[in-house]
Amino acid sequence: MAILQPIHNIAEIFSKKNVKTAILCPGSRSAALTISLVRHPDIETFSISDERSAGFIGMGMAQVTGEAVVLVCTSGTAAYNFAPAIAESFFQEIPLIILTADRPAEWINQYDGQTIFQREIYGKHVKKSFELPSEYSNTDVVWQIERVVNEAINLAQVHPKGPVHINIPIREPFYPTVEEDITYDKNVRIISNVEIEKKLSNQFWSNFKDIWENCENKLIIVGHRQSSGLDETLEKFSSEMCIPVIGDIISNVNNIDSILADVFLSSKNELFRSKFKPDLLITCGKSIISKNLKIFIRNNKPTFHFHIQENPDLTDPFQTLTHKVEVSPEYFFKQLFEDLDFLSFKKGEDEIDNQYLKFWTEASVKAKQTLNGFLNSSEYCEFKVIRNVLDKLPENSIFHVANSMVVRYSNLIGLEKGKNIEVFANRGTSGIDGSLSSALGSALKTNKTVTCLIGDMSFFYDRNAFWNTYLPDNLRVILINNHGGNIFRIIDGPNKQPEVSEYFETKQNSSAEYFCKENDVEYQKVFDEESLGNALNLLHQITSRPVVIEVEVDGSQNVQIFNSYKSLFADFS
Amino acid sequence: MAILQPIHNIAEIFSKKNVKTAILCPGSRSAALTISLVRHPDIETFSISDERSAGFIGMGMAQVTGEAVVLVCTSGTAAYNFAPAIAESFFQEIPLIILTADRPAEWINQYDGQTIFQREIYGKHVKKSFELPSEYSNTDVVWQIERVVNEAINLAQVHPKGPVHINIPIREPFYPTVEEDITYDKNVRIISNVEIEKKLSNQFWSNFKDIWENCENKLIIVGHRQSSGLDETLEKFSSEMCIPVIGDIISNVNNIDSILADVFLSSKNELFRSKFKPDLLITCGKSIISKNLKIFIRNNKPTFHFHIQENPDLTDPFQTLTHKVEVSPEYFFKQLFEDLDFLSFKKGEDEIDNQYLKFWTEASVKAKQTLNGFLNSSEYCEFKVIRNVLDKLPENSIFHVANSMVVRYSNLIGLEKGKNIEVFANRGTSGIDGSLSSALGSALKTNKTVTCLIGDMSFFYDRNAFWNTYLPDNLRVILINNHGGNIFRIIDGPNKQPEVSEYFETKQNSSAEYFCKENDVEYQKVFDEESLGNALNLLHQITSRPVVIEVEVDGSQNVQIFNSYKSLFADFS
């Protein structure tokens, strides 16, 4: 048996537990992990050199597949370069298993190369952090390693999903000899985590239905969520029970007309706004982009607010929570609908009061007309470009929207109902880093077209996303280049400071053109509506390489246009 | 008084305590810090968008000036992107003060944007981590803030120097109004840390001199060290007391002929090697590159090994330590020399036995002849290129050598004595990340020419070093492009695996040419000795932009040449 046999066996445990993708960052300390993962017939491996990008690529893969992805790095700062992606995964609840190779404990802080303090290095941003032993002679140690790897995989994939870290000190020799074959012990121990059904008691349902019946205005708000089995049920709440369902573009509520609450709730007309106050609020999902919606709910507190979330942390971004319900939203809404449906059938009720829903939908329809009227008559600008991009997104495709202004614009526009577009966004920590890599990772694990809408700061920050040999031909990057962090000119505060250009917006002249040449990526430059229209055809065409569409826009003009759009809603009613 | 007055005053404390450089990464949460630092007349500020690069740029500045540099970022993953540079600074003992803006504690983990767990986020990689309060109404709180900032500055700059973290939760409004002037309270409290002289007792010196006299073979080894006041004293130990002083290229022992111990100690001739065994070993500095030297000392343990280091951590990379001496090497060697000199004068001793020194110097002279003979007759290759580069380094300049193969080659060659070249290398954690940014940071804080010798993996990993508006014209980058991590073909182990190309070397085709065009950086391509010779003239010329000299070399050929060089020393004697 090879000295590192228990380390090689980790690949076998992954395979048996259906963890089949690994991102490997080059290094010697991690060689035993690399080699055993590459040679395992069931595991697909990718070699990525910049660990920061590698972390986000792995995350993008786990995001699109829903399955845990393994990240492997060598010892030293490599581990820290994974950290931004790990934090994002933690708050987005994306399953990752991070294996950081390490020197054996006796060599830590001994002036020997590539050694940092890796134990528990990710702090509270992993669900749990393990450390393996570096001696394998005792059979209890082998039992420990197998047990820990099982626990890590189980933990990463049980709700709330998330990243789990195993630090793995490894002694030399790292490499098998030429004659030596890597083998896998087919009898590695597998410990399954038996799935638990979390249900609510009859007593709860009975009480809840009383509340339901006694509350006039009932509202459902869906925060950031990956697309899943909620669509159909929520659609029925909307169409059959006349309950308004409000979501952001990142909520993935696909088959209900999006309600543009963020704009019309900015109206200063108190009487108009008061119509939307809910009595019962049910929420699920994570963060909310729409600031006006958040402020509105905080100022118009419902009597009851039930938040449906399996994660045991108590989160209350509306500051209105009265009940936390730790079951899956899928179960909750399905059960609730069935019960209410049966109740209504038993009672033989007539027409459901749809007044409250009408307030929301009518305001939204009017807001959409305002939006389209405004954009149709406005000149070429960022806002209009993004509307046109959203219009042109292919059906059954994936839309990855980066942070900062592009996600805000997109959320003001919304997606067309029924096109079955899955939306991803790194809203766990809303960082400027990693969106390009995440989109690339997703594209590597789907046959669908992945369109990544991204601003120039995010794009260049994460340009090493393209520094690998796996550039997927189904990736379309739409780079909105206004040459700086235009958001700082748009939000109130920095725009009035003399430092805005140098220290907030950080004006920069980069263009992706040379960079695309360097990486053999198809490149199209857009500078007006016509060239945009032509370029967007590429979203529907097959190409042999990924495509970057660089859209040049005028940052200062954007600000004006954005402000005049917002001003349209000051007296909206 | 502005609500954020205690935050604005931090800039005043920095200024009064002579901390005069700040790297500011754009963000709203950190705006009060940004604005007060930018507007402070005594503080020089730089705006850098990629926090990973920003961290290393700041570190490079602190490295060259010896003075603490402030890093500022907004909340969220921005803080994690500083982490690689912070770990490197910790192990290199470089003073940094990291200010991470944060949401107030009540908003952590509440699905609100750009929020992670920032408290103590850098773990053991900072000397201490503080958190400021977010309410300033109580005067005790103002006392706390002033006290903490004083402590952080003191701590960063007291030996062992290093990074100190202050997490700063800040409530809105972040920005002053247009009418509002930022003012600084000129009466902020300043608490000085009174410097302590750490001296050794007469008793110690008396005992130590007994050991000195009783040990025949006395050896001084200097690990990784920034250049400083040791040169003159060590030169006297060598020339007047005939003590061999061995250092790596990163030890900055400038005015003694370098002893190429790493190559000749690889000799398999036991008798030859046995001549070098020390009885008394005195060491200072941090890590050692020369693997053969480390192994030699481990296998030829001296009777006494004194390590002179102010850092209280017990480090023993030779596994031979008998005494740890927590005083400055400057004091230790100066005092020792004076005492010995006086003793010898008193005793009226005649000629000092120089046999042991001669063993080392003669072997080194012969090794140098071997090296030059070998390289002069070898064809154009990486090794030869690097020798020519080292030969051409300007006097009184700075040489920043990146990790992996380039630092190993450089160490095999050594620098010419007396050219007063200061050598920097990120050997705290020996990461592939950040060398380009560090070199750029150094160049921004010196008028000397800074030559950065770097491989392609390091260069492209850290290419965002150039994503800012401060590109210094005294920076010369010599990029050795062998299109992958050639080290994995050179070290034994990965070179025999079928995965070597894809998963270790990670072959890549990037060239810096387009990238230099994008960033308006002067670019020269080198492909043979003649073009190298021409390009190297740029090390001595004034240019208006930084220069990248991209040296194309053949990775597979390098391996052969390197191995045949090593084989020359198998029977060396």
Side-chain angles (χ1 to χ4, degrees), chain A residues 142-162:
Chain A
V142 176
W143 162 68
Q144 179 198 10
I145 293 174
E146 295 187 351
R147 195 192 67 216
V148 161
V149 175
N150 272 279
E151 184 177 354
I153 300 170
N154 291 343
L155 207 50
Q157 306 197 97
V158 83
H159 282 290
K161 296 181 179 182

Side-chain angles (χ1 to χ4, degrees), chain B residues 348-362:
Chain B
E349 268 176 315
D350 25 60
E351 202 97 321
I352 292 175
D353 175 18
N354 66 354
Q355 188 55 54
Y356 186 59
L357 175 64
K358 271 174 80 179
F359 287 149
W360 287 94
T361 48
E362 283 172 7

Side-chain angles (χ1 to χ4, degrees), chain A residues 497 499 503-504, chain B residues 4-15 22 24 30-45 72 99 168 170 174-176 181-184:
Chain A
Q497 311 299 323
E499 293 85 3
Y503 289 94
F504 292 98
Chain B
L4 295 178
Q5 189 61 45
I7 300 301
H8 299 158
N9 284 345
I10 293 174
E12 181 66 19
I13 303 176
F14 283 144
S15 151
L24 309 173
S30 50
L33 292 162
T34 298
I35 291 173
S36 55
L37 286 162
V38 171
R39 295 194 192 168
H40 198 291
D42 298 341
I43 295 176
E44 189 183 18
T45 54
V72 177
L99 309 182
I168 310 184
I170 302 180
F174 303 140
Y175 298 92
D181 255 353
I182 293 266
T183 60
Y184 306 95

Side-chain angles (χ1 to χ4, degrees), chain B residues 1 62 76 92 94 105 118 149 179 225 235 270 359 378 390 557 562:
Chain B
M1 205 178 70
Q92 255 197 82
I94 296 175
Q118 290 178 207
V149 175
E179 308 81 45
R225 244 185 89 84
E235 198 275 329
E270 290 277 357
F359 287 149
S378 89
L390 298 196
Q557 191 201 31
F562 191 71

